[in-house]
Amino acid sequence: MTLASAAALVAGPVTLPAAAATAAPAPHPGAHCPQLSKKLSWYGDNRARLQRVIDERGTCSNPHLGHGTKRPVAAFDWDNTITKNDVTDATISWALRHDKILRPKSWKSSSKWMTAAGHRALTKACGTKVAVGKPLPTSTNGACADEILQIREDGTTMSGAAAFEGTWNHRRTVPQYAWVPQLFAGRTVKQLESYAKKARTEALAAPIGTTRTIGSHTVPGYVRYYDQQRDLIRTLKKAGFDVYIVSAGSEPVAEVWSRSVGIDREHTVAIRSVLDGKGRITTWNQGCGGVGVNKGDVIPYIDGKRCFVNQEIYRVKGKKAWDKQRWSKRIAIGGGDADTDVTFVGDATGAHLVLNRNKGEFMCRAYDNADGRWVVNPMFIEPLPQKSGTYPCSTSAYNAPDGGRTPVLRGDGSVVPDQVDSVHGEVY
């Protein structure tokens, strides 16, 4: 890859600075240019913008990729980026409806940040009659299922009390995300994979729009692979890219789903639980960036995703993995849908693909389009309508490490102005 290639990169779906709109040199013609399908709809000219990066970075312009020339990398979030709806939530839904969550010795021990209120609510709802290490009857005990779902979704109990408290870096973790694999403590990886497979079969068979009722919660009951994303991954691989998934979900669950788009275990990065001597999942997970085994302090979440990309893909060791790397050690294409993806997607040197779910910090970056490479697309299934008003980029869209909300800043320190939601609705 050359600096000339870098100059030929994708423009975003909004008006570009004059410098960013400079035309790139045409790729070499011929049979070595794998093409995105023209039968699948993208917003505006997003397909062409992505195709340009594929042509510039892939085998079209670099026919010796994989034969002495380093492959370019594309990395994508999973939930609501490659699929419509969250596959981790689908697995939790299935597990609760089939009594697959084991009673912990103490709910307090299930997360280092669990509050006394959270512990009391779960203990009261789920009871103590079931022996420790045995399945909770969540298929029939709606109160227990309710508390688990409420804490997973909002970090609060059904009564509205905080389920987590203490100190954590809000750009490196969020307790309710870290809690998901911790919920499956005591199960083996193979067991969790089997739950994910059954949940996958069920969710793919359910009609689009299906919901399920668990306790008093109504949750999505279907999942679909986005055809456009399947095609993008397939085309990238044909063009010589290494393609990775970087998810804030549980790794065994992500791996079950990623196989069907041709991404293997080695190319799937998510929360990696530590196993005990009998191969069972524990409440500990592997760390990153100089942070060793931990209880959820570091997961692939916001800046944590950058850390895991740098550590697992580019083999950057220690604290340096938290830093933005030089151009040759950054992904060419990144894709995501939420604030948890903003840092690693922003690190991409070719295209920052955004599925619009109205997430503040992410959409501020995308619509500001500071480098002219942001590619915004509505969700391909059941897209959101236009957000009313503006994103509060200039005041409170940034997720600060201490949990506060502050202005979104560009690399030069200037404040991103509030942005209007301009890419939304159905794509035909």
Side-chain angles (χ1 to χ4, degrees), residues 148-342:
I148 291 172
L149 283 175
Q150 188 68 22
I151 291 172
R152 153 62 178 168
E153 289 177 6
D154 297 329
T156 62
T157 67
M158 289 293 290
S159 67
F164 303 106
E165 66 181 1
T167 302
W168 60 87
N169 186 317
H170 291 249
R171 295 190 70 82
R172 296 185 177 189
T173 192
V174 60
Q176 56 262 43
Y177 281 32
W179 196 53
V180 172
Q182 292 168 332
L183 271 176
F184 289 100
R187 295 297 189 184
T188 66
V189 169
K190 286 187 177 181
Q191 285 176 322
L192 182 50
E193 286 179 339
S194 74
Y195 307 156
K197 289 176 183 177
K198 291 172 183 176
R200 177 179 177 275
T201 298
E202 178 183 75
L204 291 175
I208 290 176
T210 297
T211 59
R212 297 189 184 280
T213 301
I214 301 176
S216 63
H217 284 78
T218 299
V219 300
Y222 81 96
V223 176
R224 288 294 186 277
Y225 290 95
Y226 285 137
D227 290 337
Q228 289 87 344
Q229 300 291 58
R230 278 184 179 272
D231 181 57
L232 176 57
I233 290 171
R234 182 168 52 244
T235 305
L236 286 165
K237 293 183 73 174
K238 285 182 179 179
F241 284 71
D242 271 335
V243 183
Y244 285 81
I245 296 301
V246 186
S247 170
S250 177
E251 195 162 85
V253 175
E255 287 171 354
V256 164
W257 285 83
S258 65
R259 290 173 199 147
S260 291
V261 294
I263 297 178
D264 60 18
R265 186 182 301 269
E266 288 70 26
H267 287 77
T268 303
V269 180
I271 301 176
R272 194 168 295 166
S273 297
V274 174
L275 308 181
D276 68 13
K278 295 183 179 180
R280 296 173 300 195
I281 294 167
T282 72
T283 56
W284 297 83
N285 62 271
Q286 295 182 19
C288 185
V291 179
V293 170
N294 61 88
K295 279 206 162 186
D297 300 84
V298 174
I299 64 173
Y301 179 78
I302 309 186
D303 292 352
K305 285 201 174 185
R306 168 192 280 171
C307 185
F308 278 94
V309 165
N310 290 341
Q311 176 178 280
E312 301 300 318
I313 300 176
Y314 292 104
R315 306 305 176 191
V316 179
K317 297 180 180 180
K319 294 180 180 180
K320 291 182 179 179
W322 294 105
D323 300 333
K324 187 174 185 178
Q325 301 298 304
R326 64 181 184 272
W327 197 88
S328 63
K329 282 199 170 187
R330 283 157 53 195
I331 59 176
I333 297 176
D337 70 287
D339 288 352
T340 183
D341 308 314
V342 65

Side-chain angles (χ1 to χ4, degrees), residues 99-146:
D99 300 341
K100 299 302 182 183
I101 304 297
L102 303 179
R103 182 194 161 196
K105 183 176 182 180
S106 164
W107 287 104
K108 190 80 171 170
S109 69
S110 67
S111 168
K112 67 180 291 183
W113 297 291
M114 181 67 68
T115 62
H119 169 76
R120 285 195 301 269
L122 286 162
T123 301
K124 180 179 178 181
C126 300
T128 56
K129 292 182 179 179
V130 172
V132 172
K134 297 297 182 181
L136 291 165
T138 48
S139 62
T140 55
N141 184 347
C144 181
D146 264 340

